[in-house]
Amino acid sequence: MSQEQPRRHQQKQPIKYGDIFNVSGDLASKAIPPVDADMMQTAETMVFGETQKGGPAAMMQSAASRNERSGFVGHDDVTDAARDQGVAVKETDVPGIRVITEKVAGQVVGQFVEPTPFIGAAIVEQNAITIGQALEATAHTAGDKPVDESDAAAIQAAEVRATGSNVVIPGGLAASAQSAAAFNAGGSKDEDKIKLKDILIDAAMRVPADKVVTKQDAEGVMSAELRNKARVAAHPGGVAESMAEAARMNENMRHQ
């Protein structure tokens, strides 16, 4: 009987950014190297005090270790994207919400949202996140995204659920988003297009009536966003994802 030891599974391709994160362009095709992972770990530690379990830094460390063991990258390798454009973990306080966005070369690879103590007339439950606040958080998590039809549909669905009215409010969030999507569809350069942050940066104040985000609200907004996308996936940190995260956090608070 042969005593040949079974061969260890060999990694045939490096793990690239596009394999584990919803990123695009040149970054997506880059193998994740150790120095990129170390940069993200340092950035996370500065904000959180530690590396987040299951977060972008941990995922990058795991991928970089496997890539190094398989010989695809060296221990001191760094991508041009991370070296030139940076790795960042940014904390932003929105009324009622603390938003932490993690980026590599300007592209979002992770988002962390948690409630902060806030009391206002629009809050039905103390510290619960409202639709207006969730929309405003989107200005920070995906603010540089040009507004398209899927964003406008999601914003309209959110506004309808906040106000309880199917009428598009003149000058309101939905009307502004629809106008922005129509303008952007005209073929302007991305730098000239209207971005989500231009529409949603003060969303919590512009919603004439507001309510705490529920699972049903989030599902309705997600459905509206996906119906209007060629690719059946919500935009990272976009309207639908922000609503879903808010609903999850509100549900967790109710069961504490």
Side-chain angles (χ1 to χ4, degrees):
M1 181 181 294
S2 172
Q3 297 299 314
E4 181 181 354
Q5 294 296 317
R7 294 181 180 179
R8 295 182 62 185
H9 175 70
Q10 295 297 311
Q11 185 178 325
K12 296 181 179 180
Q13 296 290 333
I15 302 172
K16 306 178 185 68
Y17 273 101
D19 295 330
I20 60 175
F21 299 119
N22 192 353
V23 295
S24 59
D26 188 51
L27 181 64
S29 64
K30 296 290 188 183
I32 300 176
V35 175
D36 285 33
D38 290 343
M39 291 168 67
M40 182 59 80
Q41 183 178 31
T42 299
E44 273 195 10
T45 301
M46 289 177 66
V47 172
F48 293 105
E50 62 183 0
T51 302
Q52 293 299 288
K53 184 177 181 181
M59 295 171 67
M60 289 171 66
Q61 289 282 2
S62 176
S65 295
R66 291 173 60 182
N67 285 343
E68 184 179 358
R69 286 198 302 270
S70 298
F72 294 114
V73 297
H75 186 68
D76 296 321
D77 283 358
V78 59
T79 61
D80 294 342
R83 183 187 62 226
D84 299 338
Q85 300 179 59
V87 169
V89 179
K90 181 181 179 182
E91 179 179 358
T92 306
D93 287 325
V94 177
I97 305 173
R98 177 187 183 220
V99 181
I100 297 173
T101 306
E102 305 189 42
K103 295 183 178 181
V104 175
Q107 297 198 52
V108 176
V109 296
Q111 173 194 351
F112 179 79
V113 184
E114 66 179 13
T116 55
F118 178 83
I119 299 176
I123 306 298
V124 177
E125 299 172 21
Q126 184 176 0
N127 295 338
I129 302 166
T130 67
I131 289 175
Q133 290 172 334
L135 290 174
E136 190 164 315
T138 308
H140 300 278
T141 56
D144 292 329
K145 180 187 184 300
V147 180
D148 60 21
E149 289 185 1
S150 66
D151 300 314
I155 291 169
Q156 181 178 356
E159 187 176 76
V160 165
R161 288 181 170 273
T163 63
S165 171
N166 289 316
V167 177
V168 176
I169 303 166
L173 294 174
S176 297
Q178 289 170 358
S179 296
F183 173 83
N184 290 345
S188 303
K189 295 180 180 179
D190 275 1
E191 57 263 32
D192 297 327
K193 292 183 177 181
I194 301 170
K195 310 298 194 300
L196 279 174
K197 63 185 176 185
D198 299 323
I199 305 297
L200 300 177
I201 193 63
D202 56 353
M205 296 178 61
R206 291 179 62 193
V207 178
D210 209 352
K211 66 183 287 290
V212 167
V213 182
T214 66
K215 181 180 179 181
Q216 291 71 30
D217 296 326
E219 289 174 347
V221 172
M222 180 69 74
S223 178
E225 182 171 314
L226 294 182
R227 277 199 307 271
N228 290 271
K229 290 181 74 72
R231 181 183 176 189
V232 186
H235 185 80
V239 176
E241 281 203 357
S242 293
M243 288 283 290
E245 179 68 9
R248 182 191 65 78
M249 291 165 56
N250 287 343
E251 187 67 20
N252 288 343
M253 279 190 284
R254 280 195 290 269
H255 289 89
Q256 286 179 356

